[in-house]
Amino acid sequence: GGVECQFPFFFCFLPSPPNNVKMGIDIQHHHVKKNRRDAPKSEDPYLRLLVKLYRFLSRRTDAKFNQIVLRRLFMSRANSQPLSMSRLVKQMQKRDGKIAVVVGTVTDDIRMHETPKMTVCALRFTESARKRITTAGGECITFDQLALRAPKGQNTVLLQGPRKAREVYRHFGAPGVPHSSAAPYVRSKGRKFEKARGRRSSRGYKV
């Protein structure tokens, strides 16, 4: 028996596969692994509840904001870097009335003297950062509160901390190679440590 369909004629009247036939294996992509998280590694029940909430919102709304927040909730600690108050204030300068959203920690910056009034949503605030925001007449809100206020992320600014601020990034690359600024792992910084040929003009050459 054939199966009628609305596709071009060469697709029509193809024989129906028997029920016991299994799907074929894509030989080309058989062992290709999806290198992205689809759940957080953390067992924190509060984080898991937020994932549940934003999984629902990203599925049931057409807002890209919810998909980005969900993806960032899965991220490792190395990829969800803290954001300092000074950087946060700088980013929000010409965005009055908008909610700053950080999927991570907001930390204080003692070098800052004045804090403007603003509403910030984050996973976590350090004690001094929270005090600074609330003293200025601002507001620190959680992601479940944000979901009620802006289910589609309307009137928000999505921010994140600098991922490459970690000290380890200074060492990525090949140190000592021309035009490379990668720092070598050295026991100490001084006259006796990696300052011979190639590192000073009087010893052959300097890069």
Side-chain angles (χ1 to χ4, degrees), residues 34-151:
K34 282 184 182 172
N35 281 326
R36 61 174 181 269
R37 289 187 179 184
D38 51 13
K41 284 276 176 85
S42 170
E43 294 294 329
D44 180 1
Y46 299 107
L47 181 64
R48 294 277 172 161
L49 282 170
L50 283 182
V51 166
K52 219 172 204 181
L53 170 63
Y54 274 90
R55 227 189 263 281
F56 172 81
L57 285 173
S58 66
R59 189 176 72 246
R60 295 299 296 268
T61 64
D62 56 353
K64 193 153 186 209
F65 172 85
N66 291 325
Q67 292 172 12
I68 294 169
V69 169
L70 178 65
R71 194 175 70 233
R72 289 188 187 176
L73 285 170
F74 298 160
M75 282 185 179
S76 62
R77 288 181 75 167
N79 285 330
S80 53
Q81 289 295 315
L83 184 70
S84 69
M85 283 292 300
S86 53
R87 210 178 267 258
L88 178 63
V89 168
K90 195 176 178 181
Q91 294 279 6
M92 297 300 289
Q93 259 172 356
K94 293 178 182 175
R95 291 160 169 165
D96 295 335
K98 288 187 181 286
I99 302 170
V101 180
V102 183
V103 188
T105 307
V106 172
T107 56
D108 191 16
D109 193 339
I110 56 170
R111 298 168 298 181
M112 231 175 64
H113 298 299
E114 289 184 15
T115 308
K117 181 183 175 182
M118 55 186 176
T119 305
V120 186
C121 170
L123 281 179
R124 182 173 163 270
F125 296 87
T126 59
E127 202 176 327
S128 47
R130 187 187 291 277
K131 192 176 178 183
R132 230 182 226 270
I133 294 166
T134 50
T135 307
E139 210 180 349
C140 299
I141 65 170
T142 55
F143 274 94
D144 50 328
Q145 289 171 310
L146 179 73
L148 292 171
R149 286 194 200 184

